[in-house]
Amino acid sequence: MYRWKKQEETPVASETASPVRPGAKNRPTPSRREAEAARRRPIVPADREAAKKESRQKERAERARYREGMYRGEQWALGPRDRGPQRQLIRDIIDSRWNIGEFLLPVMIVALPLSLLRYSWAYTAGFAVLYGMMIVTILDTVFLSRRIKKEISERLGEEPSRGTFWYVFSRSVQMRPGRVPRPRVTRKGERVTPQAPRA
């Protein structure tokens, strides 16, 4: 009888011997094998197709974000060629006017086939219109480039950067709907918010 009571009271004594202490972990330290097993993660996801689909969706969303930012002319999304206040000023001046270079491509589409006809007058007229349009475009770009360089010095207080003429030329010969970044001013110089095209 006495022996049975002693065995029954022994667990109670062991429980009171190690009380729960606040601030302590109150659990046995895991072995090295258990810790390494807890840290292990599968290198290849269990569902590869789902992981690939999720990765493609993230990449597509990131590309769409950069494309929309580039169309709106946001500096973080632009390349080095289009970045900076000088480039933005050049784009605004070009977009606020009609440029002769905008009509260069339509004229070429008409003049080149005309010059291929087997008639001397067609050949002469085609090349005359084509080369005449190119000369007028270059002259317009030269005068526009000089004006823009003056505007940069007066408005920004900076020297025009290298490549200003070619940037003016490449922007002015593009048709307005195809310009990137999108124009943020109207032909009259009024400010507009450029919208990214729908995918």
Side-chain angles (χ1 to χ4, degrees), residues 93-100 102 140 144 147 186-187:
I93 294 175
I94 293 173
D95 297 336
S96 64
R97 68 191 292 268
W98 287 96
N99 304 283
I100 297 177
E102 296 180 49
D140 182 61
L144 178 60
R147 174 195 164 191
T186 63
R187 299 283 190 185

Side-chain angles (χ1 to χ4, degrees), residues 63-189:
R63 287 196 300 267
R65 187 174 75 92
Y66 269 91
R67 183 174 62 252
E68 292 175 0
M70 180 177 61
Y71 282 127
R72 289 192 298 267
E74 298 181 7
Q75 295 295 319
W76 60 268
L78 298 177
R81 177 176 176 270
D82 299 312
R83 196 176 299 162
Q86 288 195 24
R87 300 305 196 195
Q88 184 62 71
L89 179 59
I90 292 172
R91 292 195 295 269
D92 289 345
I93 294 175
I94 293 173
D95 297 336
S96 64
R97 68 191 292 268
W98 287 96
N99 304 283
I100 297 177
E102 296 180 49
F103 303 97
L104 180 60
L105 181 60
V107 169
M108 290 178 65
I109 294 175
V110 175
L112 283 176
L114 183 63
S115 64
L116 297 178
L117 296 178
R118 296 182 179 180
Y119 300 100
S120 59
W121 65 266
Y123 178 85
T124 305
F127 275 96
V129 171
L130 179 60
Y131 283 106
M133 189 64 184
M134 292 178 64
I135 292 173
V136 173
T137 299
I138 293 174
L139 292 175
D140 182 61
T141 305
V142 169
F143 289 116
L144 178 60
S145 178
R146 290 181 179 178
R147 174 195 164 191
I148 287 176
K149 289 179 180 180
K150 185 179 179 181
E151 293 282 348
I152 291 174
S153 300
E154 292 178 354
R155 295 191 190 183
L156 304 179
E158 302 174 354
E159 289 294 326
S161 59
R162 294 182 59 184
T164 297
F165 174 81
W166 292 110
Y167 192 76
V168 172
F169 178 79
S170 63
R171 181 81 176 182
S172 62
V173 297
Q174 291 178 349
M175 301 182 71
R176 189 179 179 88
R179 294 174 184 172
V180 179
R182 293 290 187 250
R184 66 174 190 174
V185 295
T186 63
R187 299 283 190 185
K188 299 179 180 180

